[in-house]
Structures are given as C-alpha cells and as structure tokens.
Amino acid sequence: MEDWKPDSWTSKPIKQDVVYDDAQGVQSALAKLQRLPPLVTTQEVQIVNLKKSLRNVALGKAFVLQGGDCAELFDYCNQDMIEAKVKLLLQMSLVLIWGANKPVVRIARIAGQFAKPRSSPMETINGTEMPSFRGDNINGFAADPENRRPDPSRLVSAYFHSAATLNYLRASLSSGMADLHSPLDWGLGHVITPSIKEKYERIVSRVKDALRFMQTVGIDTDRGVETVDVYTSHEGLLLEYEQSLTRLLKTPTTPTPPTPSPPAASTTQPQTQTPPKSYYATSAHFLWIGDRTRQLNGAHIEFFRGITNPIGIKIGPSMTPSELTQILDIVNPSREIGKVTLISRYGAGKIAQYLPAHIAAVQASGHLPVWQCDPMHGNTQSTESGVKTRHFSDILSELRQALEIHRAAGSFLGGMHLELTGEAVTECVGGAGGLTEEGLGERYTTFCDPRLNEKQALELAFLVAGFYREMDEPEGMNSI
C-alpha cells in the first residue's frame, strides 16, 4: 500500500463521473469537507465492531441484513422517516435471528445514499434535453435544465444531512428504540395482513419468554438486550466526496482474533494485522462499488483498495469468474476474512447460470468473503405504461435460489441487500397485500428504483426465515 494515497484514483479512468461548471465552487466544497470531522469513528468500523461482525458472517456464524432507500433525498432527513426505516430493519432482524438462529448484523442504506449511477448523463423530458437526476448530492430532481445542473454546494449539504441523520439514529438507539424488552412497542405500522401480524407477535412472545427467563436466573445484567448496533452504508460513487472524508487514523489496539482453519477449498493464508495507522473512509461504516464502476483498472477499484473499511462489490452476469478473483486480489491482497462483501445481483432467471461459477472461482482463490444476495436490481422491469417495478415473486425466487446454490456448493449465503422503505409505498408488485400493476400509482414515490414497502419487506423476512427453518429441519416445520 506504499504506493496508495487518497487521490491515487485521479490517475485512473473513471466511470459515472460528474462534470461541474463551477470549478472554484468544487474546490471550495471539497476544502470544507476536508476540515469537517469524520462522520463515523475508527472504533465503530474496526475489528471491535463492524469488521469483527462481518468476519463472523463470512465464517457462517452470523447473518447480515442491509437495506434502505434506493436513493435518499435530503427531505428524508426527518424523525418519522428515519424511525420508520430503522424500526423496519429491527423487526426484520428479529425475525431472521429466529429463523437462522444466528446473530444479525444490521447495515442501513442511510445517512449518505444520495448519489445513483445512471445509464445516460442526459435525458429528454417534455422535449427538453437536460442532465439526468443523479441524486440530491449532485443536482435537483425538478425537471428543468438549471435545477439539473450539478451544484458542488450539494456535497457539503450531503455531509450535514448525513450528520443529522446519524445524530438522531445514535440518540434513538442509545435511548431505547431497539430495546428487546418491549419489541411490540416498535409497532407494525402499515402491516395489516393478519397472518403476518400473528407470526410476528408469535416470535415476539418467544423472545419475551427468553428475556423473562434471563431476568429470573439473574443473567440480564447489561445493556446487550436494550440496544443494538446499526451501521451506515452507501455506494462509494462520488470519489471527490469520499476522498475529502478519508482520514489517516490510528487503529484501535484491540488484538485480532485468531484465524480458524479455512475451508478445505481455501488455501492457508495468515490473517494480516491492520497497520497501526490506516486510511479510513469516514463518510460511512461500509461502502460498496457498483456493478457499473468495478473496472479492474478503474478509479473506483483504485480508491477502494486503499481504505481499511469493510467494502462491498456488486457482481452480476457481466462479471467473469477470473475478473472477480482479480478484483479480490487487488482490494484484499492479504485475504482478510470478511473484508469484502460480494453482493450478487443476477435476476431470478439468471442466478442459476452465473452464481455457481462465481462461488467456485472464489473458493479456489483462497478468499473468504461475505456472500450477500441483492434480489432487487436484477429483477427490475417496466409495465406496458412504462412504470418501473419489481415483482415480489422474482425477489423471493432469487433469494431462495441463492440459499440453495450456496448450500449445494458448500458455501454460505451470509445476507441479503434490499431496497426498502418503512413507508406505505406502492412500487413493487405482489406480496401478501396483492398489489397489482394497476395499483402502482397509488403511492409511487421513489425518485429512482422501486422499493419494497414495510408489509412486503417484513413478509420477505418471514419467508427467508422459513427457508432456513426448512433447511435445518427437513422433516419438521415447513412454514412459520
């Protein structure tokens, strides 16, 4: 890493870059960001917290739930929307803990998921050509050329909206939002399907029984059941922004856990200690590289190879097995367990064709990443009227296939990555509520891709929990 600096990426070709008219405004905004304090701390990111948790996921000892908006807006930085999103992740994680019988690592797409890659930098609306909406930290959504012009001051606004969101998130969690002593206080909100409410309340009842037992025998003596960790994440798309918030920080002195014997398919590699001083991207705990910006010699791979944070890489049908292992060698040459999360997004009709070869290549390479399924992006389609949507049945199918393929390959599906919201939106077709294409217009509010609503997301958690129960008890319970 001696040849790496936070600005090394500027010497590489870049995809999805933003061209600003105001060069002086860009420099002023970036200089401001460089003076501001980190949004997340080294201790939160390092091995005492998130890195340790993801290491356990890679080893099959935990499960990671990652979810949130496709693209945040600055307006989403308000109490009700933050609470709705976080409470939904808490509800889903409780169900998944029960189903998989493993701890759940919660990572929200929040406090920074503003920018989105687009297929074209320009679009035509009502006969007028203008820049495409790239996210609130780049330009405005309103369809007029001036509003769509990239504005560098939005980079600083993104920082402060992220900071405000993080501040309220931390305060809410520390003051009891996630207290397992009263999970029913979380409220089921828009979930009105009786079967889902009944299943949820049944699991909550079992958790409360366990907590009462702990109190009775005197082992309920700490805050372990009163709060949880919720980490933040976003796609590391705007490298100018990420570079400005990258800091050379001292690494905590907590010793690295011993490395267990690797699977038979892996080569024995020592677990490399994190250097005493390392570069951290402090805009979020976890960043990922999108499927459109993962070029081997590209700027994004170059930036990501130098940061100490755990990172994600989206992989789809266009990724060859050899390219995948080359990327892993570049961003994780020490083969640190759980450092990289591979986020697969093939589509329900393609996953069986591509995932097995990717798993085999990674197993042969000696890397031990976290495998995560994104069943959203490969299943996007448009209705006859041109409305972008996703079918719940396709999302569920890709998740089930991912579980089965990993199990057959001797691998472990360590998590799922979802675009969801705690609001009662109507953007994805299907689910227990029976939303049809005709009903999409009732509350279609996304500014980019369609999201699961609260009802659909919680239902998905129950069904995935049911998959785990079926796999672990083939002769037993077939439904929750």
Side-chain angles (χ1 to χ4, degrees):
M1 296 305 301
E2 294 179 358
D3 63 336
W4 188 90
K5 294 180 180 179
D7 65 352
S8 295
W9 64 270
T10 59
S11 65
K12 301 287 185 176
I14 186 170
K15 298 287 187 181
Q16 298 288 326
D17 59 323
V18 179
V19 179
Y20 293 94
D21 297 332
D22 183 5
Q24 184 176 353
V26 172
Q27 293 307 313
S28 176
L30 297 180
K32 174 70 173 177
L33 291 171
Q34 289 170 358
R35 294 191 299 269
L36 290 168
L39 286 170
V40 301
T41 69
T42 308
Q43 287 76 13
E44 290 172 321
V45 173
Q46 240 306 314
I47 206 151
V48 294
N49 285 328
L50 181 57
K51 293 190 78 175
K52 178 180 178 181
S53 297
L54 290 177
R55 189 174 186 273
N56 286 333
V57 175
L59 294 170
K61 299 178 181 179
F63 191 87
V64 58
L65 171 65
Q66 188 169 2
D69 287 294
C70 165
E72 283 184 279
L73 297 182
F74 293 161
D75 285 346
Y76 293 176
C77 182
N78 66 69
Q79 177 180 348
D80 290 343
M81 295 192 76
I82 295 170
E83 286 185 355
K85 196 179 306 177
V86 174
K87 286 181 179 180
L88 177 56
L89 288 176
L90 294 174
Q91 290 170 331
M92 294 176 70
S93 64
L94 178 62
V95 174
L96 291 168
I97 289 169
W98 178 83
N101 198 29
K102 291 181 173 70
V104 170
V105 183
R106 305 161 187 88
I107 304 178
R109 293 170 57 115
I110 198 172
Q113 179 54 16
F114 298 115
K116 289 293 292 183
R118 302 308 297 263
S119 57
S120 174
M122 303 294 291
E123 64 178 335
T124 299
I125 301 177
N126 298 325
T128 301
E129 186 180 55
M130 64 190 71
S132 299
F133 175 60
R134 300 283 299 276
D136 249 2
N137 59 349
I138 299 175
N139 57 2
F141 181 75
D144 68 80
E146 180 60 27
N147 189 65
R148 289 290 183 88
R149 185 172 65 89
D151 179 0
S153 70
R154 287 177 173 267
L155 296 172
V156 178
S157 293
Y159 173 93
F160 285 109
H161 281 88
S162 297
T165 300
L166 269 166
N167 178 65
Y168 186 68
L169 176 61
R170 289 184 173 118
S172 297
L173 291 172
S174 65
S175 59
M177 177 192 285
D179 190 349
L180 284 182
H181 288 103
S182 54
L184 285 176
D185 292 345
W186 297 346
L188 288 176
H190 306 292
V191 180
I192 58 175
T193 306
S195 60
I196 295 179
K197 295 185 74 169
E198 180 184 352
K199 291 174 183 177
Y200 177 78
E201 290 164 0
R202 189 185 311 155
I203 294 175
V204 168
S205 176
R206 294 179 183 180
V207 172
K208 292 179 73 174
D209 286 344
L211 290 170
R212 279 194 293 269
F213 174 79
M214 291 168 62
Q215 290 175 319
T216 301
V217 299
I219 60 176
D220 181 21
T221 58
D222 58 31
R223 288 181 54 81
V225 295
E226 295 178 8
T227 188
V228 298
D229 291 320
V230 177
Y231 300 100
T232 63
S233 69
H234 61 260
E235 179 177 353
L237 189 62
L238 295 185
L239 295 184
E240 294 93 343
Y241 179 83
E242 302 302 341
Q243 176 191 328
S244 298
L245 290 173
T246 297
R247 306 285 188 264
L248 182 62
L249 298 172
K250 185 177 179 181
T251 298
T253 57
T254 302
T256 302
T259 303
S261 299
S266 300
T267 59
T268 55
Q269 295 288 342
Q271 181 79 0
T272 301
Q273 296 282 342
T274 302
K277 291 184 178 180
S278 303
Y279 282 102
Y280 289 82
T282 68
S283 64
H285 302 103
F286 180 95
L287 301 177
W288 73 85
I289 306 174
D291 196 45
R292 293 174 176 172
T293 54
R294 52 166 177 74
Q295 294 75 26
L296 281 171
N297 193 41
H300 288 81
I301 292 292
E302 173 63 22
F303 176 79
F304 272 70
R305 79 178 180 92
I307 59 175
T308 306
N309 306 58
I311 63 173
I313 299 171
K314 288 285 188 85
I315 58 174
S318 62
M319 172 85 80
T320 66
S322 62
E323 183 184 12
L324 174 55
T325 56
Q326 288 180 72
I327 289 177
L328 287 172
D329 288 340
I330 293 171
V331 300
N332 188 24
S334 64
R335 287 170 167 73
E336 180 182 349
I337 296 174
K339 158 75 175 180
V340 180
T341 296
L342 297 179
I343 311 167
S344 63
R345 32 94 72 221
Y346 306 100
K350 296 181 179 180
I351 183 172
Q353 179 182 353
Y354 293 100
L355 179 57
H358 285 156
I359 293 174
V362 173
Q363 288 175 328
S365 74
H367 288 277
L368 193 56
V370 172
W371 282 97
Q372 192 182 53
C373 178
D374 168 6
M376 308 294 291
H377 284 88
N379 293 305
T380 306
Q381 55 188 277
S382 296
T383 66
E384 291 185 0
S385 59
V387 178
K388 191 187 296 186
T389 189
R390 290 158 174 160
H391 286 256
F392 186 88
S393 58
D394 292 335
I395 295 168
L396 183 62
S397 173
E398 183 162 358
L399 274 168
R400 178 188 283 275
Q401 290 181 72
L403 281 163
E404 293 171 346
I405 291 169
H406 278 282
R407 178 68 63 93
S411 180
F412 174 69
L413 178 65
M416 55 185 182
H417 186 124
L418 306 170
E419 290 185 340
L420 54 81
T421 176
E423 306 300 306
V425 300
T426 54
E427 298 169 3
C428 292
V429 173
L435 180 66
T436 65
E437 290 186 359
E438 289 71 23
L440 290 174
E442 293 178 13
R443 197 175 180 193
Y444 193 98
T445 62
T446 182
F447 287 82
C448 193
D449 291 336
R451 304 159 295 177
L452 296 169
N453 60 32
E454 183 183 20
K455 183 188 300 185
Q456 293 167 327
L458 191 54
E459 180 184 1
L460 189 68
F462 276 112
L463 293 171
V464 171
F467 294 164
Y468 275 103
R469 287 284 173 165
E470 291 169 11
M471 289 180 175
D472 293 338
E473 305 174 27
E475 302 299 327
M477 183 167 44
N478 292 321
S479 61
I480 299 174

